[in-house]
Amino acid sequence: NRLSHLHVWKADDLNVRAVFRLSLVHLTAPEHRTFASLAACAASGFKQVAAAFTAGLDQATADAHLDRLFHLALLSYDPDIQRFRFHSLLRLFAEEEAKGKSLWSQAGEKHASFFETYVGERQNLTSQDLYELEAEKDALLLTARWKIEHEDLGLGILFWDVVSRLLEIRGYWELGIELMQDCLKVAEHTHADAQAAFFYRQLGKYQLSLGRIQEAIISYRRSLAISEELGDELLIAQALNSLAAALREARQADEAISCAQRSLALSQKLEDQFQTAKAGNSLGMVLLQKKQYREAIALLQDGLALLESGEQRRIAKASTMLGIGYRRGGRLDEAIRAFERSLVIEKHI
């Protein structure tokens, strides 16, 4: 509708769609298809490799097409960030062309497939991974929206886990809540219960980060209920651990201790080192509230030891928690060393 009603000033018989079509006559049929397909890319801009995959081309052909589109002013290019982008009206026109040529669905699927692989290759969330993922945040969210619209959550949670952790780490909590709520609608409609348990747990993390503690507790209880219905002990342990953290924030220490103890016992039974560390740290932090410093510090020490060979960001977080335990237990020199270690790690990630 915007294209239909916009006209060149003082030229009522010349609408914008017609002006755009004047450029299309200079394109070959394959270049025209590329132009249309690229409307499936992020509106904020896209790199050459994503363009090639979305258009279904080898890189050399895609580069030639992009060059042609740029020189016809159908695309702009920002050399500082090495991205192409459409003017907003041109993007609408390209989308219209894609739908008219039955390219829209295929291009959207290819774009989503490309960024699912992109996420999988950066699942360790190193500092470089986070930098590259955040640079493609709009494309990742576009992929997420495509998957939600097509009720295609995938077989597992890898894509959603990486994207949700990116939003969590970078502080996009409100955006995360919106995304998880939409994912939950699809998961519940398609009876993807294990994924629903994950989405509720991640929703609770965002709510807790925003200080919406009671909402987080509700989300975690829903995750736990689904996990128990499934009988999945790992999901149960994860939900219990998350619920313990929210209950601790709500100063409901007794129930928090019970949840953390259950989570720790299940994690040890499963011989899951990472989950055991998380549950032990969670129990340790609740025991600090109860002023049981010796027991809390022992748990936090064990948690850190279990994480030593893992992700640096998690080691830094565990060191901070141990530092808090030392400080509250009056062991100030050890607290300083733990905090200093955490700061050094954070500086390098």
Side-chain angles (χ1 to χ4, degrees):
N1 288 337
R2 288 176 64 192
L3 288 173
S4 299
H5 292 95
L6 281 170
H7 290 70
V8 175
W9 188 51
K10 294 185 179 179
D12 290 340
D13 62 332
L14 188 62
N15 66 35
V16 171
R17 183 186 284 105
V19 172
F20 292 160
R21 288 198 182 280
L22 293 175
S23 294
L24 295 187
V25 300
H26 298 287
L27 298 176
T28 64
E31 289 169 346
H32 191 168
R33 287 195 296 272
T34 298
F35 167 76
S37 297
L38 294 179
C41 294
S44 58
F46 47 88
K47 291 197 170 186
Q48 290 162 282
V49 63
F53 199 94
T54 301
L57 301 172
D58 63 79
Q59 196 62 59
T61 303
D63 289 348
H65 287 190
L66 289 167
D67 185 64
R68 182 68 173 155
L69 295 173
F70 171 74
H71 282 95
L72 287 172
L74 291 170
L75 283 177
S76 61
Y77 181 71
D78 187 336
D80 292 333
I81 57 174
Q82 299 181 341
R83 288 178 189 275
F84 290 91
R85 69 180 299 271
F86 285 107
H87 181 280
S88 57
L89 287 177
L90 271 168
R91 186 170 185 273
L92 286 174
F93 178 63
E95 180 179 335
E96 189 177 82
E97 290 290 296
K99 291 176 178 176
K101 292 181 174 295
S102 301
L103 294 169
W104 180 246
S105 178
Q106 181 184 47
E109 185 175 1
K110 284 182 176 294
H111 181 270
S113 176
F114 175 83
F115 279 101
E116 278 195 86
T117 300
Y118 186 91
V119 164
E121 293 170 345
R122 292 157 180 81
Q123 61 182 285
N124 292 328
L125 293 182
T126 65
S127 57
Q128 183 63 28
D129 290 341
L130 280 171
Y131 172 80
E132 293 175 358
L133 288 166
E134 186 162 24
E136 296 290 0
K137 178 172 69 71
D138 291 346
L140 300 184
L141 291 173
L142 182 62
T143 298
R145 292 298 176 196
W146 187 92
K147 291 172 73 64
I148 289 167
E149 180 183 344
H150 290 81
E151 295 194 340
D152 175 21
L153 298 178
L155 298 177
I157 62 167
L158 176 61
F159 173 82
W160 302 107
D161 183 43
V162 175
V163 171
S164 61
R165 286 179 65 196
L166 170 68
L167 299 180
E168 180 187 352
I169 291 167
R170 295 305 198 213
Y172 299 111
W173 302 322
E174 291 284 4
L175 184 58
I177 286 174
E178 180 184 341
L179 184 64
M180 290 301 104
Q181 287 173 334
D182 288 342
C183 286
L184 278 164
K185 291 175 186 176
V186 176
E188 290 169 353
H189 182 252
T190 58
H191 307 289
D193 293 338
Q195 289 174 318
F198 167 78
F199 293 138
Y200 271 121
R201 200 168 67 250
Q202 193 59 47
L203 175 61
K205 286 185 181 179
Y206 297 133
Q207 291 165 331
L208 197 60
S209 296
L210 288 165
R212 293 154 58 172
I213 299 171
Q214 292 305 317
E215 291 178 45
I217 289 173
I218 291 170
S219 295
Y220 290 143
R221 289 195 193 282
R222 287 176 178 168
S223 179
L224 178 58
I226 294 170
S227 302
E228 289 177 332
E229 285 179 14
L230 291 170
D232 189 312
E233 292 185 324
L234 178 58
L235 289 180
I236 293 169
Q238 292 170 334
L240 283 167
N241 185 63
S242 297
L243 179 57
L247 291 168
R248 175 170 58 84
E249 292 295 322
R251 298 289 173 176
Q252 297 174 230
D254 290 340
E255 188 180 359
I257 289 172
S258 175
C259 288
Q261 287 173 332
R262 286 179 61 198
S263 179
L264 181 58
L266 274 174
S267 302
Q268 290 171 334
K269 174 187 173 183
L270 295 169
E271 298 183 350
D272 187 312
Q273 187 166 308
F274 172 60
Q275 190 58 41
T276 298
K278 285 184 68 177
N281 285 338
S282 184
L283 179 56
M285 294 303 289
V286 183
L287 292 177
L288 288 180
Q289 280 189 346
K290 302 282 282 186
K291 298 184 178 180
Q292 297 178 27
Y293 301 125
R294 185 175 63 182
E295 297 91 333
I297 288 171
L299 284 164
L300 294 170
Q301 287 172 329
D302 290 344
L304 178 57
L306 287 170
L307 294 172
E308 287 291 359
S309 61
E311 185 181 314
Q312 290 295 297
R313 183 171 285 100
R314 288 169 174 161
I315 295 173
K317 184 176 180 180
S319 293
T320 298
M321 287 191 286
L322 180 57
I324 292 170
Y326 283 141
R327 178 170 58 82
R328 292 187 183 175
R331 297 163 62 170
L332 300 183
D333 289 342
E334 291 169 288
I336 291 170
R337 287 195 293 273
F339 289 136
E340 285 178 339
R341 184 186 183 197
S342 180
L343 287 170
V344 168
I345 295 172
E346 290 286 354
K347 183 179 179 180
H348 289 91
I349 61 173

